[in-house]
Amino acid sequence: MSHLKDKVALITGAGQGVGQGIALALAAEGAKIAVTGRTLGKLEATCNLIEERGGSSIALEANVKSADDLARIVDETASKLGGLDVLVNNAQEVPLGPLDKVTDEAFTAGFESGPLAALRLMKLARPHMVKAGGGVIFNLVSSAGIRWDMAGYGAYGSVKQAMRPLTRAAASEWGGDNIRVLSIAPHAESPGMKYWIENNPDEAKEFFKSIPLGRVGKCEEDIGRAVASLCAPNMAYLTGATIPLDGGQANFD
């Protein structure tokens, strides 16, 4: 029997890329999935893929920068699917570029869609996980926050690094409720990564050289299945950690 059978997972930014890959992988292990994001058509496409494989899902259109939207999708997930056991904070607006080119609006949007949205969702999800006897929360972070050369990545790295202490704090404060909280730092064949590779060929060439396995991960097979495995009972003693799913590139020590 799959270890996530009849569990409920809410995944932000699940209409494509890493979020979709995680949704497909968790559904394959038996979880019922709340697929959330801003574009209903993309969410429905993910739901169609899940249901074609015999899984169960619902599409919930939402903007993670809206506190009202976040409260609504948690309530709808719990009421329509029967609870909330796994939360994946994946959606993120990315403020990239040299510091003097990053606008206040882009930087603020990065924090609103990243750490602030994650904090809001973690607090909203907690009562449901307590009621269920425990749960797992994943916050997606990035090795961009620990690059030796931060040029062009300072704003993005700052936003993503802010997620890691939230993970550590929630793991510390909620461990007694059997809620585990993990940071995941993936490299994956997402639309954003593909766009970056196509538009930065020289930097991308050096980037691939720095990955011991020589490639970026597949969204479902490499990232999604790893996340599904981290939900398993035999991982029950792991919490508060940052886990690089990046082919061995990053060193978070």
Side-chain angles (χ1 to χ4, degrees):
M1 183 178 293
S2 297
H3 65 271
L4 288 173
K5 182 173 175 56
D6 296 328
K7 299 293 186 181
V8 176
L10 188 158
I11 304 166
T12 67
Q16 63 183 6
V18 172
Q20 183 184 77
I22 294 173
L24 293 172
L26 297 189
E29 292 295 337
K32 295 177 284 187
I33 311 296
V35 180
T36 73
R38 291 182 296 185
T39 307
L40 184 59
K42 292 181 178 180
L43 304 180
E44 291 174 338
T46 298
C47 288
N48 289 338
L49 290 172
I50 290 171
E51 287 156 20
E52 284 171 5
R53 301 179 184 188
S56 176
S57 64
I58 58 173
L60 299 175
E61 188 175 3
N63 184 340
V64 294
K65 293 189 292 184
S66 165
D68 290 341
D69 278 8
L70 297 182
R72 173 178 53 80
I73 62 174
V74 170
D75 286 344
E76 288 192 36
T77 297
S79 62
K80 293 181 178 180
L81 298 182
L84 180 54
D85 305 282
V86 179
L87 169 65
V88 181
N89 285 309
N90 167 64
Q92 172 75 68
E93 292 186 27
V94 177
L96 286 175
L99 295 180
D100 60 359
K101 300 294 185 182
V102 176
T103 65
D104 287 359
E105 292 77 13
F107 197 45
T108 299
F111 273 98
E112 289 179 340
S113 63
L116 180 55
L119 178 59
R120 285 170 167 167
L121 278 171
M122 287 194 293
K123 292 193 291 185
L124 289 165
R126 185 191 177 197
H128 299 284
M129 293 182 176
V130 170
K131 183 178 179 181
V136 190
I137 298 171
F138 296 94
N139 293 322
L140 270 74
V141 300
S142 173
S143 58
I146 58 169
R147 288 172 60 97
W148 70 270
D149 175 8
M150 291 298 296
Y153 295 93
Y156 176 52
S158 297
V159 167
K160 281 302 192 181
Q161 282 293 82
M163 301 280 276
R164 296 178 67 208
L166 292 177
T167 294
R168 294 285 297 170
S172 299
E173 294 172 12
W174 301 347
D177 297 321
N178 196 33
I179 297 173
R180 297 190 294 117
V181 193
L182 297 165
S183 292
I184 302 297
H187 287 329
E189 296 175 344
S190 65
M193 174 66 83
K194 290 177 180 177
Y195 177 86
W196 178 82
I197 290 171
E198 291 171 1
N199 287 274
N200 299 275
D202 293 336
E203 188 175 355
K205 184 177 179 180
E206 295 304 311
F207 172 77
F208 278 102
K209 287 180 181 178
S210 71
I211 301 175
L213 293 184
R215 64 180 180 87
V216 296
K218 297 182 183 300
C219 291
E220 179 181 358
E221 293 88 340
D222 293 316
I223 311 305
R225 290 179 186 171
V227 170
S229 296
L230 290 165
C231 294
N234 59 4
M235 301 301 290
Y237 200 51
L238 179 62
T239 192
T242 296
I243 300 170
L245 299 175
D246 63 357
Q249 183 197 51
N251 181 2
F252 280 90
D253 294 339

